[in-house]
């Protein structure tokens, strides 16, 4: 009894004697011209051409040319084509950021344009990028945007890490200059920024330790490196054991397996997403009698250095 597929025709392994030799002609790959002519009335074709020109100009570093192409593309995009419209608007915002057109870049990334959680996350990250490329950047705007990111994606350790680093940079800058933030608000006072930096690093450490249980290879190594950074940051900030314990209790309250598994942020709809304020979600949960524990001493603040 033969098993199906267990036998072969001997002719498969014999060399072909009658096979004619075929000469392969030289091959020249087709090239896409950078300046495609627009001799068409098709709006879709015009959209594609302008989009291609913009992407090519960005790759070449010609941001003004890219901005012009994206602007032309925008008027040919159908109202129901939200994906391409989002892509072009983000491209325009990046170009404006590179060209120093901060106000226009901010206008292009208005959060009201967000259609789902993925889009909102992208816009918030773009705002962080815009703040980074602004010469007058004081870190306060990045702190506000990163707080929104952490509220939107509370179990992402890397957003918490970025927020903690930004707070520490802001605190170090104002300590070295001997000034306070221009806002003169309690939210951005030195002790409040110090508190946020400590809390964010603690939250990052908690999340990374949870995620480590499911990681391996280079992903695990990245988490281990980040955990080492957290330990070094907390040694610089010197929160002290009472403060460390009080902040850990607050920042770990929602870190339960059931809640993390049932994350409702599916990336498709904003209707179920509640962007609670950062203070309401975490700071207001700090017990009143622990307030004195969360105020850094002058010598602790003085040891903080910019990252």
């Amino acid at each position: 009894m033969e098993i199906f597929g267990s036998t072969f025709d001997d002719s498969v392994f014999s060399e072909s004697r009658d096979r004619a030799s075929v000469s392969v002609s030289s091959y020249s790959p087709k090239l896409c011209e950078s300046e495609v002519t627009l001799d068409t009335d098709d709006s879709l074709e015009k959209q594609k051409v302008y989009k291609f020109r913009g992407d090519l100009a960005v790759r070449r570093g010609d941001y003004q040319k890219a901005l012009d192409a994206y602007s032309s593309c925008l008027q040919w995009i159908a109202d129901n084509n939200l994906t391409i419209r989002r892509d072009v608007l983000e491209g325009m915002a990046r170009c404006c950021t590179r060209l120093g057109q901060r106000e226009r870049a901010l206008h292009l990334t208005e959060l009201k344009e967000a259609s789902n959680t993925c889009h909102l996350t992208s816009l918030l990250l773009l705002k962080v990028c815009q703040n980074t490329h602004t010469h007058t950047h004081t870190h306060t705007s990045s702190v506000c945007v990163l707080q929104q990111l952490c509220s939107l994606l509370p179990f992402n350790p890397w957003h918490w890490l970025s927020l903690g680093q930004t707070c520490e940079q802001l605190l170090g800058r104002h300590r070295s200059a001997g000034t306070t933030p221009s806002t003169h608000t309690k939210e951005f006072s030195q002790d409040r920024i110090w508190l946020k930096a400590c809390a964010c690093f603690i939250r990052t450490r908690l999340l990374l330790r949870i995620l480590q249980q499911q990681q391996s290879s280079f992903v695990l190594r990245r988490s281990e490196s980040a955990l080492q950074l957290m330990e070094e940051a907390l040694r610089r900030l010197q929160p002290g054991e009472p403060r460390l314990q009080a902040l850990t209790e607050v920042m770990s309250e929602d870190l339960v397996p059931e809640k993390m598994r049932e994350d409702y942020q599916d990336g498709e709809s904003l209707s179920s997403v509640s962007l609670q304020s950062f203070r309401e979600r975490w700071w207001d949960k700090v017990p009143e009698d622990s307030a004195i524990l969360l105020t850094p001493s002058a010598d602790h603040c003085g040891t903080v250095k910019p990252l």
Side-chain angles (χ1 to χ4, degrees), residues 147 150 157 159-165 167 195-205 230 247 251 278 283:
Q147 285 180 177
C150 290
H159 296 329
W160 286 97
L161 173 59
S162 297
L163 178 56
Q165 290 176 329
C167 287
L195 173 63
K196 285 184 179 180
C198 293
C200 290
F201 289 136
I202 290 170
R203 175 83 171 187
T204 304
R205 184 172 65 178
M230 297 306 94
L247 283 173
M251 304 310 289
F278 208 67
W283 302 146

Side-chain angles (χ1 to χ4, degrees), residues 126-141:
L126 186 54
K127 283 182 176 289
V128 174
C129 180
Q130 290 171 353
N131 293 330
T132 303
H133 285 87
T134 302
H135 297 298
T136 58
H137 176 41
T138 60
H139 294 89
T140 54
S141 54

Side-chain angles (χ1 to χ4, degrees), residues 15-30:
E15 295 199 13
S16 175
R17 299 177 181 176
D18 302 328
R19 184 177 299 170
S21 60
V22 179
S23 59
V24 180
S25 58
S26 60
Y27 171 72
S28 299
K30 294 183 179 180

Side-chain angles (χ1 to χ4, degrees), residues 14 20 25 45 51 55 62 84 94 99 101 105 150 157 237 241 249 257-258 274 292:
S14 62
S25 58
E45 287 301 316
K51 178 68 165 55
D55 293 343
D62 192 342
I84 296 298
R94 289 189 174 88
L99 294 170
Q101 301 176 18
C150 290
L237 294 170
E241 189 58 36
E249 290 178 0
E258 293 77 14
S274 175
I292 191 172

